Amino acid sequence: MVVSTGSSEREGWSSRSAFILAAVGSAVGLGNMWRFPAEAGENGGGAFVLFYIFCVLLIGLPVLLSEVLIGRHGQASAPESVRRVARDSKAPEGWSVLGSMGVFAAFLILSFYCVVGGWVVYYIGVFLSDLFQTGLSGGAFAGRPAEEIETLLPGLFGNGSLMVGLNLGFLAVTMFFVARGISSGIECVAVYLMPMFFVLFLGITIYGAFTGNFGDAVTYLFTFDFSKLTGEVMLAAVGQAFFSLSLGVAGMMTYGAYASRETNLGETSGIIAGADTAVALIAGLAIFPIVFAAGLSASAGPGLMFQSLPIAFQAMPFGSLIGLLFFTMVFFAALTSSVSLLEAPTAYVFEKFKLSRPVATVIVGVGAAVLGILSALSFNELADFRPLALIPIFSEANFFDALDGVTAKLFMPIGAILTCIFVGWVADAKLIDDENGLDGVLHQVWRALVRFVCPIVLTLILAAGLFPEWFAKAMSELQQGFAVVFG
Ligand code: TRP
């Protein structure tokens, strides 16, 4: 559908539900099924998870609404939308930097996201070939020793050219849909793939809950141990919340720009955040029972989902078929997200340089391919390359981890802080009220969160995460202070 914006005719979502599906599709992805369990495991479980939920409700949701609202008012790419809100509020148009920074970060994320997308494709291939060899009844997976299945991922990591090939393949599929535009490309993936995703996902989780170590997983994920909540854990949790909700880096501004005036943005933001968080928690409950039952390490990092689940599939009847369905579903979810990551920079490039959408897609795609190759090679050829050796919290990171860390722990929180200041203090209050679709108390609460709570809490978390020793010292002094005061 074409939405009239006064000055020009531009593409938009064909309905409210198409917008919701596309936005949920952007949010739900590898962030939920791959990154969330890995981060939870690396950051000690319960403290991370509960702080993550706190971040989604108190920070993620208000920022999400702020972003779609900027996009919907601006009806343009992220930098231009911010500029228009600033212009209509008689504020400095230099605020558009907020959008430009986001577009750049989305581009960085896209590059390594497609590397992980490539791993998903590899597993689809593994299960498919298994099915062909042995038929439906179980596949060669059944009965294979767990150790052998665990070596699949290291095997893939060791093969640089295969990693690069899969990465480029995944990126090419993403480019195909973005080049086709909103209604015949992006919306099409979301409207067909997201419902299929939810059906498959629920089926597999229910199945998994009955076979693994469910109780241990619940304890691990939901037991809050205050002493484990360090500055690093808090920053990791807030970064994960933003990554999962596609926030802080222009993604949701870009999608909001295709929303029509009739869409209630407050309500829509609630649906997006609710669905995304539910999927992350369910993914955790599906993956950790298997991790514990199989004696794997919870802190295995990026390999967690790829190593734990195939072990469970191997023990199930029809294991290869279930494995194939599962990874196909992850592929769908990843694709609806990578499409949104590519759309943010592409929309900017075609608008700014007056190019056609397909040409802009190719330009951004080629850039992402170059960076993606470096990420794919960080698991083999470039394993010892430490691009950010000088920055303490990233000193151990290879190229892939560095991009992931810098975007989630710097770009996203900083982008979100600026978004809150912009929406809460700079933009015209009347303009914001007209867009947000909230009334009464909810409106007041949202406004207070955006103006005060989010920017302050985010700044503190950012400081605590970047200077963990400082934070630990401050906390222990605070504790001593309490001890003195309360005897
Ligand atoms: N939210 C997606 C996921 O969880 C990833 C993603 C898609 C994203 N678009 C984004 C992250 C924009 C940041 C910004 O997999």
Side-chain angles (χ1 to χ4, degrees):
M1 187 180 103
V2 172
V3 178
S4 169
T5 60
S7 53
S8 62
E9 299 271 296
R10 104 183 248 289
E11 261 198 301
W13 307 116
S14 56
S15 65
R16 188 180 96 102
S17 55
F19 170 47
I20 293 181
L21 282 171
V24 170
S26 165
V28 174
L30 293 169
N32 307 61
M33 271 150 305
W34 160 73
R35 202 174 183 283
F36 174 75
E39 287 283 313
E42 282 180 302
N43 290 289
F48 172 91
V49 174
L50 294 175
F51 195 72
Y52 166 83
I53 296 174
F54 165 86
C55 290
V56 168
L57 289 176
L58 228 69
I59 303 173
L61 195 50
V63 174
L64 174 58
L65 176 54
S66 305
E67 284 201 17
V68 282
L69 179 158
I70 293 175
R72 210 246 320 257
H73 184 83
Q75 298 280 313
S77 73
E80 178 61 17
S81 287
V82 180
R83 200 188 65 75
R84 289 182 187 175
V85 174
R87 180 198 63 199
D88 296 347
S89 309
K90 307 207 171 36
E93 296 185 12
W95 273 96
S96 64
V97 186
L98 167 59
S100 325
M101 240 176 63
V103 162
F104 177 65
F107 165 75
L108 297 181
I109 299 171
L110 171 73
S111 72
F112 73 82
Y113 202 84
C114 289
V115 173
V116 185
W119 307 349
V120 177
V121 174
Y122 174 75
Y123 275 81
I124 293 181
V126 168
F127 285 105
L128 254 186
S129 76
D130 217 66
L131 266 179
F132 273 119
Q133 278 163 19
T134 51
L136 261 186
S137 57
F141 249 80
R144 238 192 247 186
E147 297 78 49
E148 192 184 323
I149 292 171
E150 275 176 62
T151 60
L152 276 173
L153 195 65
L156 169 64
F157 283 178
N159 189 339
S161 43
L162 181 59
M163 288 273 282
V164 170
L166 290 165
N167 164 29
L168 298 183
F170 190 87
L171 179 61
V173 178
T174 305
M175 288 166 66
F176 173 79
F177 287 104
V178 171
R180 289 173 58 103
I182 302 299
S183 38
S184 42
I186 297 179
E187 203 174 293
C188 188
V189 231
V191 169
Y192 292 106
L193 299 189
M194 281 325 284
M196 278 209 290
F197 165 83
F198 278 106
V199 172
L200 276 174
F201 184 61
L202 268 185
I204 286 175
T205 312
I206 293 170
Y207 196 104
F210 288 107
T211 47
N213 222 334
F214 201 65
D216 282 359
V218 174
T219 315
Y220 180 73
L221 288 174
F222 297 107
T223 310
F224 187 73
D225 176 355
F226 190 72
S227 68
K228 286 197 179 147
L229 200 62
T230 63
E232 283 131 311
V233 169
M234 294 195 314
L235 184 57
V238 86
Q240 173 59 26
F242 287 150
F243 188 96
S244 196
L245 293 169
S246 307
L247 292 182
V249 299
M252 286 297 178
M253 285 184 200
T254 309
Y255 271 20
Y258 304 120
S260 72
R261 298 284 326 159
E262 289 74 49
T263 310
N264 179 329
L265 298 183
E267 190 185 294
T268 311
S269 304
I271 299 176
I272 299 168
D276 185 68
T277 308
V279 174
L281 295 179
I282 296 173
L285 288 174
I287 287 175
F288 281 104
I290 302 163
V291 171
F292 294 130
L296 296 172
S297 156
S299 57
L304 198 65
M305 173 186 99
F306 292 94
Q307 290 184 300
S308 64
L309 289 179
I311 294 180
F313 299 145
Q314 167 248 22
M316 294 177 186
F318 301 105
S320 319
L321 182 65
I322 295 177
L324 178 64
L325 286 177
F326 177 81
F327 280 100
T328 308
M329 158 197 114
V330 176
F331 175 77
F332 290 165
L335 189 62
T336 54
S337 299
S338 63
V339 158
S340 81
L341 283 164
L342 177 56
E343 175 64 17
T346 301
Y348 172 68
V349 169
F350 72 66
E351 180 189 276
K352 170 100 185 164
F353 302 103
K354 307 210 167 24
L355 299 169
S356 72
R357 172 180 274 279
V359 171
T361 310
V362 171
I363 295 176
V364 179
V366 168
V370 174
L371 282 187
I373 291 174
L374 293 176
S375 284
L377 296 180
S378 347
F379 293 87
N380 34 70
E381 265 59 87
L382 300 178
D384 298 323
F385 177 42
R386 299 278 173 274
L388 300 178
L390 292 177
I391 305 177
I393 61 166
F394 301 125
S395 61
E396 291 302 308
N398 60 26
F399 191 81
F400 176 97
D401 295 331
L403 277 187
D404 177 271
V406 167
T407 48
K409 293 181 179 163
L410 291 178
F411 275 97
M412 291 180 187
I414 293 174
I417 293 173
L418 293 177
T419 304
C420 291
I421 297 176
F422 182 66
V423 168
W425 299 92
V426 177
D428 179 47
K430 172 93 179 43
L431 179 160
I432 301 292
D433 294 354
D434 286 346
E435 294 283 353
N436 71 11
L438 299 176
D439 325 291
V441 184
L442 265 186
H443 178 83
Q444 298 302 331
V445 171
W446 175 74
R447 191 108 184 113
L449 288 174
V450 170
R451 286 166 72 101
F452 303 103
V453 179
C454 299
I456 295 173
V457 174
L458 272 174
T459 308
L460 289 177
I461 296 176
L462 190 62
L466 295 180
F467 309 104
E469 284 92 23
W470 165 82
F471 177 73
K473 198 161 148 267
M475 286 305 275
S476 82
E477 274 168 16
L478 203 67
Q479 259 168 14
Q480 280 164 13
F482 271 123
V484 171
V485 173
F486 298 106

